[in-house]
Amino acid sequence: MATAGCASGPTLWRVLRLCWTQSRPVVQAIFLLRFTSAALLATTEGHTPSHLLSGTTAWALAVFTVYLVNGVHDAVEDTVNHPTRPIPAGTLHPRTAARVALTSATLALASASLAGPCLLALTAVFLLAGHLYSAPGIALKRHTAGTTAVVLTGGLTTYLAGFAAAGGHHLTTVLVLATAMSLWMALVGAVAKDFTDVTGDRRAGRRTTVIRLGPTRARRRVTTNALLIGTGFLATAAAVVPPLVPSAAATLAGAAALTITRFPYRVYMRTQYAAHLLAFGVLAFAILSP
């Protein structure tokens, strides 16, 4: 097993590949989509901010750091819930992953500093929230309130970072998308992901909504939250930001699907992708239309 985080050649690339796998690429992709959506909505036509690249790089590194650190501290529950991930599978040593995460966090802050003080502050807040979520002795992940606060912070800072990196235009549009999707993350996704993780979460001493309320009541709470968010998003978009109506409609449709599905986390994730891709599509159509 390769545990030397500073090794050269193929060993280094193997370590990085394992760290990338441990950091959950699907989650990395949706965070990039959140950031990019806000950046595109905040960019004026024909203008590409010079610091957009450094801001995007900083955010990608920050998200990678947070989820890799989470993997290091989730070893107990992951041995039951997700045993094939590199750390619980024994192919990536936690100390190696922690060293890679420290390097990544440093690079994230350095890159953010090139994009300006606002990006630097948002990156620092995001990294701090991720640390508080996972770190032993604090571990906000153990309780529903802590998890909700961290997830909401992670969502809002991501959209605000994209907004700031793109020059800070069209604030209302970005805030409507950011608020709706961050609430979707915190009040739907943060619960939906726990339905299949009960055994490992119990072993790790976590008091998730599913463990506290039981699956039936927890599912009812998820669907209620989703329907309220979807309805509120659609009403707000229709009244304030019509270009976001397709995204809001997709969110409400996803909320409706949650009432009948056996796989709430899949619906949660697919709804996010649909909402953001529709925002992309509407923006592209507006730019390309004569």
Side-chain angles (χ1 to χ4, degrees), residues 188 192-193 195 219 222 258 261-269:
V188 180
K193 73 178 182 61
F195 281 100
R219 184 178 293 276
V222 166
L258 280 170
T261 185
R262 292 185 301 160
F263 306 101
Y265 190 70
R266 292 184 189 177
V267 172
Y268 155 77
M269 286 295 290

